[in-house]
Amino acid sequence: MTGRRRLGGRWVRRRPLRTRLALAASAAVALVAVGVCAAAFLVISVQMTHQLDLNVAQTATQLLQRMRTWGPTPGDASCQYPAAACVQIVPADPAKDARGRYVLPVSPATREVATGHRLPYYSEITVAGHPVRMFTTHIPRRDEAIQVALRSDTVERGVRQAAWALAVVGGAGVLLAAGLGYWVSRTGLAPVARLTATAERIATTRDPRHRIDLPAGPPGHEDEVTRLATSFNTMLGELEQSVTAQRRLVADASHELRTPLTALRTNAELLARADRLTDSQRDRASAALARQLREVTTLVNDLIELARDEEPRPLLEQVRPAALLEHVVTAAREHWPDVAFTLRIAPEAADTALPGVPARLTRLLSNLLDNAAKFSPPGGPVETELASVADEVHLTVRDHGPGIDADDLPYVFDRFYRARAARALPGSGLGLAMARQIARAHGAELSAEQAPGGGALFRLRLRGAGPPAGTG
């Protein structure tokens, strides 16, 4: 039995989900239908038998009124061919039995009922080849019992007919259950089938632009499958954006690398024929080659940094933005000696600490200052200011250069995007994109705007500032 059960379970598990759901729904409905039919059969059988018992008891009462003066009676001719009631009177003392043979069976229980020592009872017997229901009860004020029998084959026939009718109804219910189970599985799993088909189509074509058609309905009343399809569509949208961004990054990186790699190859081929060059030509080619190698190295490192989605948790520590900003401004002054960097730190922000990765935050600040210095005129100032507002640290970096055109503002943080005014300047177009990525990885917000009076203004809001470093 256990082996058969295992085989059955294995067979069910190998069926498709639609088949298993149809089988489960059909079995549930069929079980209910069979149970209802069985309960109805039991109720009909009990009620019909009870009605027959009432008829026999009422007949016995009527006969007692008519036969109150009769003595022991062995039955009449109607008992030979029982079409109506068959009746006989039995005394408690067998010696007082009437002449003739009793048609209905007389047992010791019958004598006990005649003496009044036993309660009336019903019994099933056969008379003249016909089933009858017999009722035996005591005759008041006499040591006799009366036995009344009515044919019960009509009741049995009615019970059989009810059984056949209920069997037909139950069979129809099972067939209907199978149809309903198939319909439920087909209708209920239709969104899942569409989801599966969409997933398979995406896996085959590698095109995440496909979506699952959602049924129209009032918002806020979606079922579980619709919510699953909606979540899947949302995931597909995110995947499409990710794939598009990845392809754009690869295309932009290929475009940006093509020019420096071509220049590298040209200078390398030129230096390969160094014996044909003068010393000054050889020095210029070597310097150009070294400069281009640095540019390619910087570009590749920036691309590697941009490929990171979040900061590694083990590197997080409590960082003081004021100390990082002082260090970055000092380094920027050495790298951009023609730019006047000014630094103002509010007293409440001097010792404020927040969780972060120091090296990455340093890179963010350096990119902002380098971008400001790149667009500042010679001798022009770059103003940096750090303040603390509630549980946030606010940093602003402002230059006095040409500023950012309104058409360029939405794209200044895009990878490889360079405004028309910046295309002649050195750089790869990745600095601001990297700055925003680092900011987002730290839960910060970085924005750009036109500064009042000219120039560009960058605002950085770092959240989650804690108490001053070194305090309890």
Side-chain angles (χ1 to χ4, degrees), residues 33 36-42 44 159-172:
V36 169
C37 290
F41 173 76
L42 290 177
I44 291 174
V159 171
R160 285 196 300 270
Q161 291 175 350
W164 279 106
L166 291 174
V168 172
V169 172

Side-chain angles (χ1 to χ4, degrees), residues 82 131 144 204 250 344 392 463 465:
E144 295 175 341
T204 302
V250 173
R344 180 180 178 277
E392 294 183 345
R463 300 183 180 88

Side-chain angles (χ1 to χ4, degrees), residues 398-423:
R398 177 186 175 175
D399 62 60
H400 291 266
I404 306 174
D405 292 340
D407 295 338
D408 295 327
L409 268 177
Y411 310 105
V412 293
F413 295 106
D414 289 352
R415 298 169 181 174
F416 298 108
Y417 181 80
R418 306 185 71 183
R420 286 189 297 271
R423 290 172 186 170

Side-chain angles (χ1 to χ4, degrees), residues 21-357:
L21 181 59
L23 290 175
S26 301
V29 178
L31 185 62
V32 172
V34 172
V36 169
C37 290
F41 173 76
L42 290 177
V43 170
I44 291 174
S45 177
V46 170
Q47 287 297 325
M48 294 184 73
T49 302
H50 178 66
Q51 186 61 42
L52 178 61
D53 290 344
L54 289 179
N55 292 339
V56 175
Q58 291 175 358
T59 302
T61 302
Q62 295 172 359
L63 291 175
L64 278 175
Q65 296 295 327
R66 194 174 63 193
M67 303 171 63
R68 65 179 63 183
T69 60
W70 293 22
T73 305
D76 55 13
S78 63
C79 292
Q80 301 300 321
Y81 304 96
C86 174
V87 59
Q88 66 183 20
I89 298 175
V90 180
D93 186 1
K96 298 180 181 180
D97 284 344
R99 296 179 181 179
R101 184 177 61 87
Y102 287 112
V103 177
L104 300 179
V106 177
S107 63
T110 307
R111 305 292 184 179
E112 293 177 4
V113 172
T115 60
H117 295 159
R118 182 186 177 98
L119 294 176
Y121 66 90
Y122 294 91
S123 57
E124 294 281 349
I125 62 174
T126 301
V127 176
H130 298 281
V132 296
R133 182 77 167 170
M134 183 179 69
F135 178 57
T136 303
T137 184
H138 176 69
I139 299 177
R141 295 183 297 276
R142 293 164 58 180
D143 289 339
E144 295 175 341
I146 185 172
Q147 293 179 302
V148 180
L150 291 179
R151 289 181 58 170
S152 61
D153 51 353
T154 55
V155 174
E156 294 180 357
R157 190 181 307 112
V159 171
R160 285 196 300 270
Q161 291 175 350
W164 279 106
L166 291 174
V168 172
V169 172
V174 171
L175 294 178
L176 180 62
L180 289 176
Y182 176 77
W183 178 80
V184 167
S185 64
R186 186 178 182 84
T187 304
L189 294 179
V192 178
R194 291 196 297 269
L195 189 149
T196 304
T198 302
E200 291 174 348
R201 187 161 56 249
I202 293 173
T204 302
T205 62
R206 296 182 178 273
D207 185 2
R209 291 177 297 177
H210 299 287
R211 295 293 185 273
I212 300 174
D213 296 331
L214 298 176
H221 294 79
E222 299 87 357
D223 56 17
E224 290 77 3
V225 177
T226 303
R227 291 202 299 270
L228 174 62
T230 303
S231 301
F232 192 75
N233 282 343
T234 303
M235 182 189 68
L236 288 177
E238 298 292 336
L239 178 61
E240 181 182 3
Q241 293 181 3
S242 176
V243 171
T244 302
Q246 182 183 25
R247 290 173 178 172
R248 185 170 63 248
L249 175 63
V250 173
D252 293 342
S254 301
H255 175 75
E256 293 293 331
L257 285 171
R258 187 178 294 114
T259 300
L261 289 177
T262 301
L264 276 175
R265 184 174 60 185
T266 301
N267 287 320
E269 292 175 350
L270 186 61
L271 288 176
R273 298 190 296 270
D275 53 339
R276 304 179 186 177
L277 304 176
T278 63
D279 291 342
S280 61
Q281 291 174 335
R282 190 163 47 249
D283 292 341
R284 285 197 302 272
S286 297
L289 183 62
R291 184 178 65 255
Q292 290 154 2
L293 281 173
R294 286 195 300 272
E295 292 178 358
V296 172
T297 301
T298 301
L299 179 59
V300 171
N301 289 336
D302 290 346
L303 288 174
I304 293 175
E305 292 290 334
L306 283 172
R308 299 169 58 179
D309 290 333
E310 59 182 13
E311 306 304 331
R313 292 291 176 186
L315 300 181
L316 288 176
E317 58 183 86
Q318 289 296 315
V319 180
R320 293 176 55 199
L324 287 182
L325 184 58
E326 291 175 352
H327 171 74
V328 172
V329 169
T330 301
R333 286 170 179 165
E334 296 177 358
H335 189 261
W336 302 91
D338 296 335
V339 179
F341 290 91
T342 62
L343 174 61
R344 180 180 178 277
I345 299 177
E348 65 273 9
D351 294 325
T352 301
L354 50 81
V357 181

